[in-house]
Amino acid sequence: MEMKVLLFDNPNGYAFLFLEKINIENCELFVLAQKDNIYNSNWPDIDESNIIYYESFSFLRGIKLSDGNYLKNDFLKKFDKIITFTHSGLVFLRFRNFKSIYYNIGGFKDFYFGHRIHSFGVKYFYKFFRSLIFKVSLLKTESIIVSNQMDFDHVFKSFFGFKIKFLPIFVQRWTKHIPSFDDTVNFVHFSSQSFRLKNNPAIFNSLSELKSKGVKFKLHIFLWGIDVEKTREIIKNSNFRDDVIINQRIPIKDLSSYVNSLSRVFVLGEFSEYTGPGSGGAIRETSSAGIPSISYVKKGGFSIEPTSCYLNSNELNLTKVLYKISNYNKEEYFALCNKVYDEFSSYYDDSKTNLILKNILNEIH
């Protein structure tokens, strides 16, 4: 008998890589996703009749479908396994008494410790209760799987440590970057514009100093997130405003072509104590192509990344790092690209994760 598996609430490309790795046999796959969501463009080919699109999502009223009706709980009962990838999906299922597998790609720390802010007030209590609901919801999960380095140094020490399994994040590998060299350095930044993360000001301040030092560069930035307009204003008032190329958010496959076409290119990742070590899946994808990233990685902490893939930095010395790599000659830059590609390929050797995958297979079935 075929197992019916539902990917719940806007799965991105990693969701399908996850299923591919665990290799669920005799599985009929269904997807519930918001119509026209950016993540949809990164899916592999999937039977359109097994995709359920929704218009809006409400914890109280439920999920409103494209035809105006609401998704009924009976629909969810027909699945043998529900795998949810979002905080909202996990809480939705918990309050309707559905168990699920929770696969967290990022954001566990935000929801688990979200109430730890410096002052009391409405914001504090909102985050406190959101964190409490998240923890209660985790109790109803069949299994918790994490894949993001930024969560590792604390998540296993949590109350739910006994339920958590770790899988190295599954990377949508890019075509190998063929490095080329030019007088101008190209920096690419495609993290969400959210100034609570404190990574974007660090980048913009460092680029301003770099401009003052006479370095020729271009910043290729892809804008999305809650602080897009704030970002536009900062760029407009900066001394490097004529050196910025602003793009809209695009699918990974198009981003790959864009970044691979640039000469002397570096990707700018995260620079924040808030997020901890890590820089997101897209940073790993560029490293899979041999494109060096400049990212904050905590020294001496728990780390599973091949850290020499990154030029480690932090908010205080980011300008020094940018200035140093801007002065790399052609041979140094090519050697760095090759080093990134070789170490990444070695670290993400599938055979090294097979034992972990076998354990998780036993829980999925």
Side-chain angles (χ1 to χ4, degrees):
M1 179 183 294
E2 277 194 327
M3 177 186 295
K4 293 184 182 296
V5 177
L6 176 66
L7 302 184
F8 188 79
D9 188 23
N10 286 333
N12 63 16
Y14 295 117
F16 296 93
L17 287 170
F18 168 71
L19 286 178
E20 179 183 314
K21 290 289 184 178
I22 63 175
N23 191 27
I24 296 179
E25 297 178 357
N26 299 319
C27 163
E28 185 177 8
L29 181 63
F30 294 79
V31 176
L32 180 71
Q34 189 173 21
K35 196 170 182 62
D36 300 323
N37 189 285
I38 184 68
Y39 289 135
N40 302 356
S41 59
N42 296 327
W43 293 350
D45 291 334
I46 183 172
D47 188 344
E48 285 289 332
S49 64
N50 287 3
I51 302 175
I52 303 94
Y53 289 111
Y54 67 85
E55 293 290 342
S56 61
F57 187 106
S58 168
F59 289 115
L60 296 178
R61 297 196 64 186
I63 299 174
K64 186 177 181 180
L65 303 176
S66 300
D67 61 7
N69 294 316
Y70 283 85
L71 190 72
K72 297 187 181 300
N73 286 347
D74 288 345
F75 171 80
L76 297 173
K77 290 178 181 178
K78 72 178 184 179
F79 296 102
D80 301 294
K81 295 291 180 182
I82 301 176
I83 306 176
T84 182
F85 302 83
T86 65
H87 161 265
S88 57
L90 177 67
V91 174
F92 181 91
L93 291 167
R94 163 66 186 90
F95 276 88
R96 283 157 179 79
N97 207 32
F98 286 99
K99 287 189 175 182
S100 64
I101 295 168
Y102 178 48
Y103 179 38
N104 178 278
I105 296 173
F108 192 104
K109 183 176 183 179
D110 184 20
F111 292 110
Y112 195 83
F113 296 115
H115 64 283
R116 293 186 179 178
I117 56 180
H118 298 299
S119 60
F120 286 95
V122 174
K123 183 177 181 181
Y124 173 88
F125 287 105
Y126 165 73
K127 289 200 169 186
F128 175 83
F129 286 111
R130 186 182 70 171
S131 174
L132 180 63
I133 291 170
F134 181 50
K135 292 170 185 176
V136 171
S137 300
L138 288 174
L139 284 172
K140 294 291 289 184
T141 60
E142 293 183 77
S143 183
I144 305 167
I145 302 167
V146 296
S147 288
N148 199 319
Q149 182 184 348
M150 70 176 66
D151 292 323
F152 295 157
D153 58 351
H154 61 276
V155 77
F156 290 109
K157 300 174 184 177
S158 73
F159 175 78
F160 302 95
F162 71 97
K163 298 185 73 171
I164 295 172
K165 300 291 183 182
F166 158 64
L167 275 179
I169 198 165
F170 302 130
V171 175
Q172 300 178 87
R173 302 201 180 198
W174 289 16
T175 303
K176 184 177 180 181
H177 178 61
I178 307 300
S180 56
F181 202 78
D182 193 86
D183 290 339
T184 300
V185 184
N186 289 286
F187 297 116
V188 181
H189 181 57
F190 40 80
S191 290
S192 172
Q193 300 305 304
S194 174
F195 280 79
R196 69 186 177 87
L197 299 180
K198 299 181 174 60
N199 58 320
N200 303 308
I203 289 173
F204 298 141
N205 292 340
S206 296
L207 290 177
S208 180
E209 292 184 46
L210 207 64
K211 179 70 174 181
S212 299
K213 291 178 180 290
V215 175
K216 294 171 60 178
F217 68 85
K218 292 287 185 185
L219 172 66
H220 304 258
I221 188 168
F222 293 81
L223 290 183
W224 80 93
I226 61 175
D227 287 321
V228 165
E229 292 309 313
K230 184 184 293 186
T231 300
R232 289 184 184 276
E233 191 66 20
I234 290 174
I235 291 174
K236 179 181 177 181
N237 295 326
S238 71
N239 65 344
F240 57 89
R241 57 184 170 274
D242 296 329
D243 303 306
V244 180
I245 299 171
I246 296 178
N247 302 283
Q248 299 299 312
R249 190 177 185 183
I250 58 177
I252 289 293
K253 60 179 182 297
D254 297 327
L255 180 63
S256 173
S257 300
Y258 185 100
V259 179
N260 266 304
S261 69
L262 300 175
S263 60
R264 198 154 53 132
V265 58
F266 297 86
V267 173
L268 299 176
E270 304 285 2
F271 301 90
S272 169
E273 289 287 350
Y274 177 85
T275 55
S279 18
I283 303 296
R284 296 178 180 88
E285 286 155 5
T286 57
S287 294
S288 78
I291 300 170
S293 304
I294 305 163
S295 177
Y296 167 66
V297 178
K298 187 184 298 181
K299 293 182 178 179
F302 185 71
S303 175
I304 56 87
E305 296 290 350
T307 53
S308 64
C309 283
Y310 307 100
L311 301 174
N312 299 343
S313 185
N314 58 49
E315 188 168 350
L316 296 178
N317 65 17
L318 177 57
T319 303
K320 295 178 182 178
V321 173
L322 295 184
Y323 187 73
K324 178 182 177 181
I325 60 98
S326 297
N327 286 292
Y328 276 15
N329 60 34
K330 181 177 180 179
E331 289 72 24
E332 290 173 319
Y333 175 69
F334 282 20
L336 177 62
C337 291
N338 290 331
K339 180 181 179 182
V340 169
Y341 181 81
D342 290 343
E343 185 170 353
F344 189 95
S345 299
S346 173
Y347 183 82
Y348 281 94
D349 180 350
D350 289 344
S351 64
K352 294 181 180 180
T353 65
N354 282 348
L355 291 178
I356 303 172
L357 292 171
K358 286 179 181 177
N359 290 335
I360 289 181
L361 267 175
N362 292 332
E363 295 193 7
I364 299 293
H365 283 294

